[in-house]
Amino acid sequence: QVQLQQSGPGLVKPSQTLSLTCAISGDSVSSNSAAWNWIRQSPSRGLEWLGRTSYRSKWYNVYAVSVKSRITINADTSKNQFSLQLNSVTPEDTAVYYCARVYYGGNAINWFDPWGQGTLVTVSS
Amino acid sequence: DIQMTQSPSSLSASVGDRVTITCRASQSISSYLNWYQQKPGKAPNLLIYAASSLQSGVPSRFSGSGSGTDFTLTISSLQPEDFATYYCQQSYSTAMYTFGQGTKLEIK
């Protein structure tokens, strides 16, 4: 059974960097049939996909246009985990952040499962 | 981006009722549509993938249908544990996944 365990601070000051980590058990961050994603949820924006990292002979990252200039997602194969860094945060970045695996079935079918437990990150001084 | 629109935004129903939630995509997404259930304080949980395939462990009272732009999630007989918020999500455009705004299912 695949499980994702998130960690990271719940309070970040404006203009600073939000950093979260997602530890994977039951699967590999280097899996060729998965991708590792960050998603956030807020009352104003709903569920918003932020980006993913995946390994297909080399590492590929894809980011949402809305955060592309501020986001970095990295994989750490030695710890079997991946991380999110979001720079220059503002109060609008206040949200519950989730990590999630995309699993690829046949015919390009794909879905988010499982999800991490979520981390409420508040951007405030 | 592909916009996903759910209706209704909220719904009141009773235990035993049959309930249908609709999701419409702004362009054709074939069958690349997933449904999730979210309870307060918890992460979304996958119910249906590829429009109509039931995720392992999900009760058979849940079903999904549709293709192209119009999709439905049906709960055949509501149970107390089904009162939650439901989201659709398109997986057609993997460069920009998008979700519906959610349908909150409440007890009448």
Side-chain angles (χ1 to χ4, degrees):
Chain A
Q1 181 184 4
V2 180
Q3 293 185 316
L4 304 178
Q5 181 67 38
Q6 298 177 219
S7 59
L11 181 62
V12 182
K13 289 182 166 53
S15 80
Q16 295 194 343
T17 297
L18 180 161
S19 296
L20 296 173
T21 299
C22 184
I24 304 163
S25 58
D27 200 349
S28 170
V29 73
S30 303
S31 169
N32 281 313
S33 59
W36 306 96
N37 298 257
W38 288 97
I39 297 161
R40 67 183 178 183
Q41 185 174 31
S42 64
S44 59
R45 303 168 82 104
L47 283 163
E48 179 184 19
W49 175 79
L50 300 177
R52 70 171 179 270
T53 190
S54 59
Y55 185 76
R56 303 288 186 269
S57 302
K58 67 175 186 177
W59 290 100
Y60 292 90
N61 291 335
V62 180
Y63 300 132
V65 170
S66 61
V67 294
K68 192 170 186 177
S69 63
R70 301 191 290 132
I71 190 173
T72 303
I73 297 176
N74 284 322
D76 183 341
T77 57
S78 66
K79 296 181 179 179
N80 202 32
Q81 64 186 30
F82 62 107
S83 63
L84 167 70
Q85 287 193 310
L86 188 65
N87 302 325
S88 305
V89 296
T90 72
E92 287 204 350
D93 294 310
T94 294
V96 176
Y97 286 75
Y98 295 100
C99 59
R101 180 185 71 165
V102 160
Y103 181 80
Y104 296 92
N107 297 322
I109 299 295
N110 63 96
W111 57 84
F112 292 111
D113 182 66
W115 296 57
Q117 80 275 21
T119 302
L120 173 60
V121 178
T122 301
V123 178
S124 174
S125 54
Chain B
D1 299 353
I2 299 174
Q3 305 302 316
M4 307 301 294
T5 304
Q6 289 181 233
S7 61
S9 295
S10 63
L11 176 59
S12 293
S14 301
V15 172
D17 283 354
R18 180 183 179 89
V19 166
T20 297
I21 298 169
T22 296
C23 178
R24 175 163 289 175
S26 60
Q27 66 181 73
S28 177
I29 58 171
S30 185
S31 295
Y32 294 90
L33 190 284
N34 305 316
W35 289 98
Y36 302 86
Q37 177 193 66
Q38 186 178 34
K39 296 183 178 179
K42 300 293 187 181
N45 182 53
L46 178 70
L47 296 176
I48 302 280
Y49 62 92
S52 61
S53 295
L54 194 67
Q55 171 69 344
S56 176
V58 174
S60 59
R61 63 180 178 272
F62 291 92
S63 63
S65 64
S67 66
T69 61
D70 294 317
F71 302 87
T72 58
L73 173 70
T74 299
I75 310 172
S76 61
S77 178
L78 272 174
Q79 298 302 301
E81 60 268 29
D82 299 337
F83 292 94
T85 302
Y86 293 85
Y87 294 93
C88 61
Q89 174 247 328
Q90 64 82 16
S91 59
Y92 178 85
S93 172
T94 59
M96 185 62 206
Y97 292 109
T98 48
F99 294 83
Q101 82 279 15
T103 296
K104 187 174 184 179
L105 181 52
E106 298 174 306
I107 301 173
K108 184 182 287 185

